[in-house]
């Protein structure tokens, strides 16, 4: 004999005679594992409470008030852009006194001119970290001033990929809507010529300059200062090689900053860029592309700079391009110092 509790606890139950006559295909049917009556609602409540507990734990973990603060955003680039106006007609490259001077004619070509100092340990950075910063600096200089695609309005991804994530918005804005406002000149980030008007007459770009480094912010970052003069041979777009080329000279003084996250991510922060370039006119806007004066062309007389017009950005300015080399160009033209802070 089985008592009533044993029968209720059984996992299977036999169909009644009426159910079997109605056509049941099986002799028995299983009982629901949750049972019947009040046990089922209690089980549902228990499952609901467990789900709420897990959800609350996840929410509190995401909204934890003691999460570490996000790292500070990268400082924006500050740009000084100075067009250099020639004193008269632009000479052909072969007759340019600057290029004819032994010192300029024998500048190293391309990457050979972007030499680096030895990487030594500093107070808070290892020699390997200093070497990484110098290597990134060299990559940036090559990508932003020697790469032919970037120079002629082409692909600039190599420049962009080297920048800290916090500067990408400013970089993209500078290329999409360039302005000589001290922050958004595309030619502050890289050297580039208007591809509709110019072409490189010689891929062998002359380069000479210096690179130095020092710790900043109490050892939190490493700053690399560069000062290079680059000489390009250019001519009008679509013209043949027998047309005379002219020289375009750019002096770039850059200040690059690296914190430990930048070094780990193979990126850099470009903090300051001081650029002098010519021959250009004062009337043109060099923030988007450089539009050099070509051989035989002269600059129109500019209207000058009005210090009472505060609507004009202070970054906008104009200088005079030297008509010829100084008595000792090797010494006077290669003296460098870190950009002012």
């Amino acid at each position: 004999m089985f008592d009533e509790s044993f029968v209720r606890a059984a996992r299977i139950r036999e169909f009644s005679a009426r159910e079997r006559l109605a056509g049941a295909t099986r002799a028995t049917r299983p009982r629901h594992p949750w049972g019947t009556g009040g046990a089922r609602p209690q089980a549902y409540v228990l499952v609901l409470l467990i789900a709420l507990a897990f959800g609350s734990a996840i929410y509190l973990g995401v909204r934890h008030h003691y999460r570490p603060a996000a790292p500070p955003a990268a400082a924006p680039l500050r740009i000084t852009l100075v067009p250099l106006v020639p004193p008269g007609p632009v000479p052909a490259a072969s007759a340019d006194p600057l290029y004819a001077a032994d010192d300029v004619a024998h500048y190293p070509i391309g990457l050979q001119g972007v030499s680096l100092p030895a990487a030594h340990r500093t107070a808070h950075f290892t020699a390997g970290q200093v070497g990484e910063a110098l290597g990134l600096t060299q990559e940036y200089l090559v990508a932003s001033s020697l790469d032919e695609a970037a120079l002629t309005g082409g692909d600039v991804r190599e420049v962009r990929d080297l920048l800290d994530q916090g500067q990408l918005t400013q970089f993209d804005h500078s290329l999409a809507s360039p302005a000589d406002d001290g922050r958004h000149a595309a030619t502050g980030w890289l050297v580039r010529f208007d591809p509709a008007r110019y072409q490189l007459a010689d891929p062998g770009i002359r380069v000479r300059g210096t690179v130095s480094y020092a710790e900043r912010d109490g050892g939190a970052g490493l700053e690399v200062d560069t000062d290079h003069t680059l000489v390009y041979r250019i001519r009008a777009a679509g013209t043949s090689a027998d047309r005379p080329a002219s020289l375009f000279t750019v002096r770039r003084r850059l200040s690059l900053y690296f914190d430990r996250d930048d070094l780990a991510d193979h990126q850099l922060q470009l903090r300051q860029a001081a650029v002098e370039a010519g021959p250009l006119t004062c009337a043109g806007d060099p923030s988007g592309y450089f539009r050099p004066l070509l051989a035989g062309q002269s600059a129109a007389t500019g209207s000058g700079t009005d210090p009472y017009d505060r609507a004009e950005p202070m970054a906008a300015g104009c200088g005079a391009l030297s008509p010829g080399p100084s008595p000792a160009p090797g010494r006077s033209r290669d003296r460098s110092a870190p950009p002012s802070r």
Side-chain angles (χ1 to χ4, degrees), residues 232-315:
Y232 303 86
R233 291 169 60 95
I234 59 171
R235 60 167 54 95
T239 57
S240 60
D242 59 349
R243 294 293 299 274
S246 58
L247 300 183
F248 187 75
T249 304
V250 180
R251 183 181 179 188
R252 303 179 80 203
R253 302 177 68 195
L254 307 179
S255 178
L256 302 93
Y257 184 86
F258 304 84
D259 58 27
R260 288 169 177 80
D261 289 336
D262 289 323
L263 294 175
D265 296 337
H266 199 76
Q267 293 175 341
L268 58 89
Q269 301 176 41
L270 186 59
R271 291 287 183 88
Q272 294 186 27
V275 181
E276 297 176 342
L280 294 169
T281 66
C282 278
D285 180 5
S287 61
Y289 290 104
F290 289 128
R291 297 180 175 89
L293 294 168
L294 297 173
Q297 295 180 332
S298 301
T301 303
S303 58
T305 299
D306 181 2
Y308 297 95
D309 182 6
R310 287 185 294 274
E312 181 181 3
M314 289 186 67

Side-chain angles (χ1 to χ4, degrees), residues 154-316:
D155 192 352
V156 297
R157 282 179 295 180
E158 289 189 24
V159 176
R160 191 180 191 276
D161 290 345
L162 289 170
L163 295 174
D164 184 284
Q165 296 290 318
Q167 290 191 311
L168 294 183
T169 299
Q170 184 186 7
F171 176 79
D172 293 340
H173 182 92
S174 298
L175 268 67
S177 302
D180 191 8
D181 59 359
R183 294 293 178 92
H184 299 104
T187 46
W189 299 91
L190 72 162
V191 178
R192 64 177 191 164
F193 302 99
D194 186 346
R197 302 185 184 184
Y198 308 96
Q199 65 185 22
L200 288 177
D202 183 358
I205 300 161
R206 307 281 176 168
V207 189
R208 179 173 289 179
T210 60
V211 178
S212 61
Y213 60 89
E215 285 191 4
R216 293 286 180 260
D217 300 333
L222 192 69
E223 185 177 79
V224 180
D225 293 316
T226 72
D227 188 351
H228 288 85
T229 298
L230 305 105
V231 183
Y232 303 86
R233 291 169 60 95
I234 59 171
R235 60 167 54 95
T239 57
S240 60
D242 59 349
R243 294 293 299 274
S246 58
L247 300 183
F248 187 75
T249 304
V250 180
R251 183 181 179 188
R252 303 179 80 203
R253 302 177 68 195
L254 307 179
S255 178
L256 302 93
Y257 184 86
F258 304 84
D259 58 27
R260 288 169 177 80
D261 289 336
D262 289 323
L263 294 175
D265 296 337
H266 199 76
Q267 293 175 341
L268 58 89
Q269 301 176 41
L270 186 59
R271 291 287 183 88
Q272 294 186 27
V275 181
E276 297 176 342
L280 294 169
T281 66
C282 278
D285 180 5
S287 61
Y289 290 104
F290 289 128
R291 297 180 175 89
L293 294 168
L294 297 173
Q297 295 180 332
S298 301
T301 303
S303 58
T305 299
D306 181 2
Y308 297 95
D309 182 6
R310 287 185 294 274
E312 181 181 3
M314 289 186 67

